[in-house]
Amino acid sequence: MRVLVTGKEGQVDTSLQRLGDLTPGVEVVRLGLPEFDLSRPETLAAPVREARPDIIISSAAYTAVDKAESERGLAEAINADGPGELARLAGELGIPLLHLSTDYVFPGDKDGAYVETDTPGPVSAYGLTKLSGEMAIEKATDNHVILRTAWVYSPFGTNFVKTMLRLGETRDEINVVADQYGCPTYAPEIARALLAVAGRVVADPDPHLRGIFHLTGQGETTWAGFAEAIFAGAAARGRKAARVNPISTSDYPTPAKRPANSRLDGEKLRRVYSLTLDSWQTSLDACLDVLIGAKETQ
Ligand SMILES: NC(=O)c1ccc[n+]([C@@H]2O[C@H](COP(=O)([O-])OP(=O)(O)OC[C@H]3O[C@@H](n4cnc5c(N)ncnc54)[C@H](OP(=O)(O)O)[C@@H]3O)[C@@H](O)[C@H]2O)c1
């Protein structure tokens, strides 16, 4: 199976490349800038056709949530126009498209985890552009799987875990928001699920395998809870740990509004694909093992 992945240095595309290299029968081809620019959809057709993929995984995105508030046009082009054109090309080639979307399509006022049939209502420009991307894909081809994920971290690229470890080097105390709830998700786990889903949809035209699915690490926490677990893991590996000072969203104003609750329910993915991701705590341990090293023995 030849898998075209969009993005070249991102968390999920790098994880897909690494897993693909270890998986017999899978060849991952990563494409992005400078081969094409998602903000200029007309640049996509030639490299995509040339790659002769069996499936496209659309991972690349404009992911700077705060910056998107002032660059909405560019974010819309990258997160909606580009994926829409990718979906059109996938349809033309007769191949499936897997696309990553976000928990930030939801407003955050639900009591409980969001299911796929809940009505979206983004509260940020980023969320709006990602929802617009979902709609562009749905319009362009039925042969798609949209996987909404959340709070992505990994040893690669920029993410919350790496930021906390960096700040922990120099600070004794860090203020972290404690009233936003979500599901931290490990990019190598996303990659594992994506390749499993890809194998199924390439082989099976069943419409039940298509549509929207939620894909997150098991369990839930707040950013402050996540930070505490990161520093506990760092301390267990002999690193200096900062103390987490829980604060409220109103104490930490940002350009973009974020949902207070963006927990995603993964039951549909479990039922249809028999897929569940590891708990976020198990995956955090795996991530810290890579970033810092194994835990010190007592
Ligand atoms: N990160 C999260 O917490 C999170 C949460 C929910 C959903 N998601 C979704 O999950 C997916 C993967 O996220 P990630 O964390 O792996 O993203 P990431 O680390 O920010 O990587 C994004 C990738 O997209 C590429 N890209 C950006 N603009 C592009 C353009 N105009 N043309 C071509 N490529 C472009 C980047 O290339 P350059 O490095 O060259 O710019 C980079 O390789 C995204 O669709 C994102 O929306 C992420």
Side-chain angles (χ1 to χ4, degrees), residues 71-155:
E71 288 191 337
R72 191 177 289 227
L74 180 61
E76 174 77 16
I78 295 173
N79 290 347
D81 302 346
E85 173 63 4
L86 273 179
R88 192 194 66 74
L89 288 166
E92 187 186 282
L93 295 170
I95 59 173
L97 175 89
L98 309 191
H99 175 74
L100 283 173
S101 189
T102 173
D103 53 335
Y104 283 10
V105 298
F106 290 116
D109 55 359
K110 184 177 176 178
D111 191 12
Y114 282 95
V115 294
E116 289 80 352
T117 47
D118 281 329
T119 307
V123 293
S124 64
Y126 168 74
L128 276 166
T129 63
K130 290 294 287 185
L131 179 61
S132 182
E134 292 185 4
M135 294 191 299
I137 287 164
E138 285 167 340
K139 204 168 142 199
T141 177
D142 288 337
N143 197 1
H144 68 257
V145 184
I146 292 168
L147 296 125
R148 294 183 183 137
T149 189
W151 296 26
V152 179
Y153 66 97
S154 69

Side-chain angles (χ1 to χ4, degrees), residues 205-229:
D206 184 352
H208 294 102
L209 297 174
R210 272 88 182 152
I212 298 180
F213 292 82
H214 289 173
L215 170 71
T216 53
Q218 284 191 60
E220 62 190 57
T221 187
T222 64
W223 290 111
F226 194 18
E228 276 164 7

Side-chain angles (χ1 to χ4, degrees), residues 4-8 29-33 35-36 44 47-48 50-51 60:
L4 191 167
V5 177
T6 65
K8 285 168 70 175
V29 180
R30 272 195 292 175
L31 290 180
L33 295 162
E35 294 88 15
F36 60 64
L44 288 163
V48 167
E50 208 171 298

Side-chain angles (χ1 to χ4, degrees), residues 27-292:
E27 186 188 355
V28 169
V29 180
R30 272 195 292 175
L31 290 180
L33 295 162
E35 294 88 15
F36 60 64
D37 180 348
L38 284 167
S39 73
R40 296 192 299 129
E42 69 280 7
T43 62
L44 288 163
V48 167
R49 288 190 191 120
E50 208 171 298
R52 291 176 292 101
D54 297 308
I55 186 165
I56 299 172
I57 300 183
S58 159
S59 176
Y62 183 110
T63 54
V65 176
D66 286 317
K67 214 168 156 202
E69 296 296 318
S70 54
E71 288 191 337
R72 191 177 289 227
L74 180 61
E76 174 77 16
I78 295 173
N79 290 347
D81 302 346
E85 173 63 4
L86 273 179
R88 192 194 66 74
L89 288 166
E92 187 186 282
L93 295 170
I95 59 173
L97 175 89
L98 309 191
H99 175 74
L100 283 173
S101 189
T102 173
D103 53 335
Y104 283 10
V105 298
F106 290 116
D109 55 359
K110 184 177 176 178
D111 191 12
Y114 282 95
V115 294
E116 289 80 352
T117 47
D118 281 329
T119 307
V123 293
S124 64
Y126 168 74
L128 276 166
T129 63
K130 290 294 287 185
L131 179 61
S132 182
E134 292 185 4
M135 294 191 299
I137 287 164
E138 285 167 340
K139 204 168 142 199
T141 177
D142 288 337
N143 197 1
H144 68 257
V145 184
I146 292 168
L147 296 125
R148 294 183 183 137
T149 189
W151 296 26
V152 179
Y153 66 97
S154 69
F156 322 115
T158 314
N159 57 68
F160 186 76
V161 174
K162 290 173 78 176
T163 302
M164 285 299 119
L165 291 177
R166 180 171 45 77
L167 294 177
E169 298 270 309
T170 53
R171 297 197 199 167
D172 293 331
E173 196 171 314
I174 301 176
N175 291 345
V176 188
V177 169
D179 56 1
Q180 289 171 25
Y181 291 81
C183 311
T185 309
Y186 191 39
E189 281 281 284
I190 297 176
R192 177 173 70 80
L194 284 170
L195 287 191
V197 169
R200 290 284 300 278
V201 290
V202 162
D204 189 345
D206 184 352
H208 294 102
L209 297 174
R210 272 88 182 152
I212 298 180
F213 292 82
H214 289 173
L215 170 71
T216 53
Q218 284 191 60
E220 62 190 57
T221 187
T222 64
W223 290 111
F226 194 18
E228 276 164 7
I230 293 164
F231 289 125
R237 290 167 176 81
R239 276 273 187 103
K240 175 182 159 305
R243 196 170 55 252
V244 175
N245 183 21
I247 58 166
S248 65
T249 300
S250 56
D251 293 329
Y252 187 72
T254 52
K257 213 175 152 202
R258 286 162 171 80
N261 164 37
S262 63
R263 288 175 290 152
L264 300 180
D265 185 318
E267 170 57 24
K268 184 180 172 194
L269 192 74
R270 195 195 60 72
R271 183 166 34 83
V272 175
Y273 279 99
S274 305
L275 267 175
T276 48
L277 302 196
D278 278 344
S279 75
W280 68 265
Q281 293 96 331
T282 300
S283 292
L284 176 60
D285 256 338
C287 185
L288 294 176
D289 283 348
V290 177
L291 286 170
I292 305 177

